[in-house]
Amino acid sequence: MTQFHENTLKNPFSIRTDLAIEARELAQQEASAADELEGVDVKTEETSDYFLTHVRILSEEGSRLMGKPKGDYITLESEMLKENNTECHKKIIKVLAENIHSLVEFGKDACVLVAGLGNWNITPDALGPKVVSKILVTRHLQGSLPQEIEETVRPVAAVSPGVMGITGIETGEILKGIVEKVHPTLLIAIDALAARRSSRINAAIQLSNTGIAPGAGVGNKRMMLDQDSLGIPVIAIGVPTVVDAATLVNDTMDCILNEMMAQTEHGSDFYKTLQSLEQEEKYQMIADILGPYTGNMFVTPKEVDAVIDRLANIIANSINIALHPGVTMEDINKYTF
Amino acid sequence: MTQFHENTLKNPFSIRTDLAIEARELAQQEASAADELEGVDVKTEETSDYFLTHVRILSEEGSRLMGKPKGDYITLESEMLKENNTECHKKIIKVLAENIHSLVEFGKDACVLVAGLGNWNITPDALGPKVVSKILVTRHLQGSLPQEIEETVRPVAAVSPGVMGITGIETGEILKGIVEKVHPTLLIAIDALAARRSSRINAAIQLSNTGIAPGAGVGNKRMMLDQDSLGIPVIAIGVPTVVDAATLVNDTMDCILNEMMAQTEHGSDFYKTLQSLEQEEKYQMIADILGPYTGNMFVTPKEVDAVIDRLANIIANSINIALHPGVTMEDINKYTF
Amino acid sequence: MTQFHENTLKNPFSIRTDLAIEARELAQQEASAADELEGVDVKTEETSDYFLTHVRILSEEGSRLMGKPKGDYITLESEMLKENNTECHKKIIKVLAENIHSLVEFGKDACVLVAGLGNWNITPDALGPKVVSKILVTRHLQGSLPQEIEETVRPVAAVSPGVMGITGIETGEILKGIVEKVHPTLLIAIDALAARRSSRINAAIQLSNTGIAPGAGVGNKRMMLDQDSLGIPVIAIGVPTVVDAATLVNDTMDCILNEMMAQTEHGSDFYKTLQSLEQEEKYQMIADILGPYTGNMFVTPKEVDAVIDRLANIIANSINIALHPGVTMEDINKYTF
Amino acid sequence: MTQFHENTLKNPFSIRTDLAIEARELAQQEASAADELEGVDVKTEETSDYFLTHVRILSEEGSRLMGKPKGDYITLESEMLKENNTECHKKIIKVLAENIHSLVEFGKDACVLVAGLGNWNITPDALGPKVVSKILVTRHLQGSLPQEIEETVRPVAAVSPGVMGITGIETGEILKGIVEKVHPTLLIAIDALAARRSSRINAAIQLSNTGIAPGAGVGNKRMMLDQDSLGIPVIAIGVPTVVDAATLVNDTMDCILNEMMAQTEHGSDFYKTLQSLEQEEKYQMIADILGPYTGNMFVTPKEVDAVIDRLANIIANSINIALHPGVTMEDINKYTF
């Protein structure tokens, strides 16, 4: 998980969000205006099953405002991601598969490496490794398959490199080493993310073409996984699966304060004190207070195991369909049980 | 888990604590006095490795004040429970094994049934089933063992009955059915508990001889597992492994308010509003606000899998030593891998 | 597993087969004739997806010849059970669901208890517990569901009682205790079986209405799970998931001898010696020789985990469809992920 | 597993053994003499707890006779490896840790990479990944530890690269890529092996300094993991955890034939036919016959999960002690739970 699976030794809460849609909300707040951010283009699409937001960061200024690299960030939001709703999941799989192609162009025989980032021992961080276990891997069969089958599958390899606490090695080092041997045309990296709104946990999937930095958010410098470092394009697929304790308190403090204001005097000094705080400052203050106390806690839904399995299924199906010409919507769950 | 693994359909947060030491804290607060509660006897013992509190509820009045049945509640607290500290764990295993015997007298050949309550699919609720998987089970070998070995082991049976959401059956019904077939002299039930202080998560083990009510705390009436319902004495062993989101917010609100008071005007109306709330009222208000929002969330440490395994080891070792004459401190971890 | 999960202390190989179709083959061989066995009725049905054999033991004589109680034994055989063939599995789920109803009549509101026998720690014996984890359990929701939903679901409970080596208690005792509390109308028990032909491993599902005896085959007397012992009808669903080492050697000795006979003198004394052995005698001789050597070995396919998962899915889907009026072929895999 | 986890498409049984002690037995048989093989030095050591054989292949001729590269092969045999015997395991851990140092010299600050080969989804092939999960990994902490602690630990990294069927990439490619980034001084590779005697399953641990070839035995050309390919010395640690079906039949055919010869005429043509076969020819004939029938079967003890866990513990403890100056026999199981 980008803010989760690496050691978060100092100041675990000085995180920014992994989600472009949240970064945009924060940036808008700071700009204290409803008008569009310069250099940031946003398109949305709503269906009965999901809400799709395409954030495109076009300029250096947009990148600075958003705190994220230039490029495309597509976020699919749906409460149905958490439910056992096969029909809705089919539609989501379809739109994800299409958007994988929209993010990076790659030839029909190009070799693709799928990397499941995260720690398989911690359920909400195990999303990436779970997706990898459901990918239809074919690279090693090239040349040994009958011609008619060979045409239905692209060469695909898949690895779960682990996290630094498990391997002693930076995830980026391991992947760079493998990329230099396998020479894929494209890397697809799946990772669990941290969100800044409890309501988004397991309810959003973000696709981007700007690379991913395992652990970057936590203040440690980490090797970025992107075109610059690896020499190939990178599609990152992420799902916010936890919030930290400070986020939970921050969110609920807002609810509680609103509630209380109704019962107390509006002009109270306490309210003014709080109101005068920037959103980010307030979060930071809470994080600082909580630090020694809950630094090691995270907040997760009770049914997290089942939900992570379901999300891994959805993502793996959409990757299998996006990559292999012969795998279609008819084959959903054929390779992912 | 007593407040956790059963459906918590209505008002999940109107819980009281499972821990007698916390019930006493709350009762003391309500009595708004530092003096002893009537009908409640408390003894403590401190070593460099753990802190032991023996709460004895002696009268109906004590029971009413504490909201718990008459009887003995022994709580061992140690931050070392969360650490990989073999030497310290040995001392804890020893004191737990001794206290199992102090709670209920049972003959040296008496058959004991060990029951691991909780949901094996949810890590922090899987403590009971994990302990059961490490118990040295011998009841079925009675009569087939050589005389000299037979003398070293007591007849012990062990089951993990599951939770109602998994089986469709009340845990108490299943255990009563089994008790009526097996006719044990004693039931030892292990369960994960809910705490009311985040700091106690995985840092305390409570032993009691007053029975246990799976799910009772959550407002649903559940069959109590105790001498009355089962006809045999019951030792309950519990560990607080989660807090709910409301507890976390409640705890941290207290910290934050204290912090803020230092920076703001003491006489503010807001502060007065908060100060005028009883501890329990405040918790309830937070729970009500949070209800629809985080009712399904829980707060757990990141390394929960490893910690639960360690706790299960400690408890299983202490039960094996307490029950089998031939299992001693020399045999720690011999049956619990 | 009927011949597998209980201790097989003495002569682990004096087993007879769990499969009625194999019992019939053996009985036919002993009768050394192709004509029908007295008191045994056999009907078969073949489709492109599976082969169905309905063996009905009608009389005491038939029961004696077959070594099995009177009643119905329906065996579905299909190599596709081992493959990832969704279309074929749908047809198998449908025919299994229909046959569950053909074996025992039960009213549309009757409560059904599903029991997953076997040891969840040993992959090929974990079939029963895996099926149970995929059953749509509803008994505890009766009364709390809206009327229109309540009509779509029957009260269903489900338990995995474990095996004697884990619990210290006979499986039959545990289930009898639970039946006496829950008062179901029908018990459906799922168990892994032992086969006598390696080729049948994971390639057959047997349904019967004559009860099941955990561990009975291995010479230990065990409590039979049937109408007599439990007071309610029992449907047993079994899959042969292992063969013992003696079966493998026996099977392959046959192949090898046939092969060798082509290269050597037909009249050789050795061949005569072997040929003069009854099938059962030969097996017994091999088992005796192998006993001390491989008594603890079993033979299983490499991909056993994936195959057992797939079989558990098929069986759980067919039970869910057979039991709940509102669960149909449209809902396949909705409750079994 | 060297003969197990890679695809064994053609002729899965034309394997030779992974164990030097078995290769020597076979070579001796072919040499049809009890005298020493040229260029092969053998030393043995027996204690009440284990039997240690040090085979040293000194010359090209020895290498040719043994079918193995020049170098050292140390095999520890003990039935106690399968049992829960802590005292005996301690002695085994000690002797293994010493022998790791005897095989390759490496400086006290040298970085070591530990690689767990094999497929984590197949229990008997999961030995390597299980060992890796119990290794005390420290490379990423270098520089951030206090001086006094830093002196007690060597930089150690650890990876489980998976198998080609899972990743689509040769294990050797992945490891070479990682070695080129991490620049370790030594690779320790743990793998499950195939044995040629059922009696050796889980009862032997082999250490060697000649490298290891994942899947080499099965006829596919695979990249060797050794000093030549990786540029650093390689210690391979292997345990035979399965035999194939042909080995089981071969072994038991021998028993059965011996038994039968006592009852039949010694001069029979059949016996002569069998006797005239070389050991290897006979095995090959059985393998050919069995091929289509049991090519996908393996033979494993029932309690395989527990035994593999125990073996992983023993090996991980010995590696931790061998590598880290500050980890001693006092710390057994401290890092391996």
Side-chain angles (χ1 to χ4, degrees), chain C residues 108-109 143-153:
Chain C
K108 87 185 224 325
D109 298 325
S144 69
L145 292 173
Q147 182 67 22
E148 66 274 20
I149 292 179
E150 186 123 3
E151 279 166 12
T152 66
V153 293

Side-chain angles (χ1 to χ4, degrees), chain A residues 205-245:
Chain A
I205 299 176
Q206 173 175 282
L207 286 69
S208 68
N209 58 9
T210 61
I212 189 166
V218 292
N220 305 326
K221 58 176 180 0
R222 284 280 148 69
M223 182 182 150
M224 188 79 183
L225 298 174
D226 59 11
Q227 173 111 33
D228 279 354
S229 63
L230 298 176
I232 53 170
V234 175
I235 293 179
I237 303 180
V239 175
T241 61
V242 292
V243 292
D244 57 57

Side-chain angles (χ1 to χ4, degrees), chain C residues 244-286:
Chain C
D244 57 55
T247 291
L248 181 74
V249 174
N250 192 44
D251 282 11
T252 51
M253 284 279 286
D254 287 350
C255 298
I256 289 164
L257 287 170
N258 287 340
E259 191 90 359
M260 283 180 157
M261 287 313 122
Q263 305 161 20
T264 187
E265 196 178 313
H266 273 249
S268 91
D269 295 334
F270 181 69
Y271 179 63
K272 282 180 194 155
T273 307
L274 282 174
Q275 213 179 29
S276 67
L277 292 169
E278 292 284 339
Q279 189 70 13
E280 203 53 11
E281 271 181 87
K282 182 151 66 71
Y283 174 78
Q284 197 53 54
M285 183 195 71
I286 294 170

Side-chain angles (χ1 to χ4, degrees), chain C residues 286-300:
Chain C
I286 294 170
D288 289 347
I289 293 169
L290 279 177
Y293 181 55
T294 60
N296 205 23
M297 298 279 179
F298 66 86
V299 182
T300 188

Side-chain angles (χ1 to χ4, degrees), chain B residues 4-45:
Chain B
F4 179 57
H5 57 65
E6 303 289 355
N7 285 329
T8 60
L9 295 172
K10 359 173 186 151
N11 198 353
F13 297 113
S14 71
I15 57 166
R16 296 190 63 86
T17 175
D18 288 326
L19 289 176
I21 52 173
E22 293 191 340
R24 186 171 149 258
E25 286 169 7
L26 291 171
Q28 293 262 17
Q29 275 176 344
E30 279 168 36
S32 42
D35 44 61
E36 280 306 311
L37 296 167
E38 193 193 319
V40 180
D41 184 45
V42 180
K43 287 211 182 67
T44 61
E45 178 193 337

